[in-house]
Amino acid sequence: GKGKGKGASPEGRQGHTLPRTRLSADKFTGTVVEWKGKYGWIKPAEEIEHEKAGLRGGRLFVGMDDIIGRQDLDGGAPVEFHICEDESGLGAEEV
């Protein structure tokens, strides 16, 4: 039917595909707060100095495409990552 399939909604839920800007020169450390199957949240070990850092309770979004060498993360696991920014807030990449 109409509205299904690829390209049906150019706006859609594309938070994980929005254009990004990397903010970190060196990797940060943190802990996986939760993993929801294809995405999750990371709590950085140190406070991030950025205007969007307070969004989402200080947590960083991470999608399965941002993980190197595996498909998922375990809750409570220590991780290293780069910090990136898009329109919706801050995220982690190269986890």
Side-chain angles (χ1 to χ4, degrees):
K2 199 169 184 183
K4 291 196 161 77
K6 291 186 178 171
S9 168
E11 307 305 308
R13 290 187 49 87
Q14 298 183 341
H16 64 289
T17 59
L18 290 171
R20 296 175 164 180
T21 304
R22 179 171 289 185
L23 302 177
S24 56
D26 299 312
K27 284 197 167 185
F28 279 68
T29 60
T31 306
V32 179
V33 178
E34 60 182 327
W35 185 255
K36 300 277 196 182
K38 293 188 184 250
Y39 70 94
W41 302 96
I42 292 173
K43 181 74 175 173
E46 56 190 276
E47 190 174 331
I48 299 166
E49 300 291 332
H50 191 275
E51 60 188 15
K52 294 182 181 175
L55 300 174
R56 304 168 172 157
R59 302 178 307 172
L60 303 174
F61 175 85
V62 57
M64 61 188 290
D65 295 337
D66 302 312
I67 307 168
I68 298 173
R70 54 186 297 178
Q71 296 294 309
D72 59 6
L73 295 170
D74 299 319
V79 287
E80 291 187 345
F81 52 89
H82 279 288
I83 297 169
C84 58
E85 173 190 12
D86 65 24
E87 290 176 20
S88 64
L90 301 183
E93 61 184 3
E94 289 187 23
V95 178

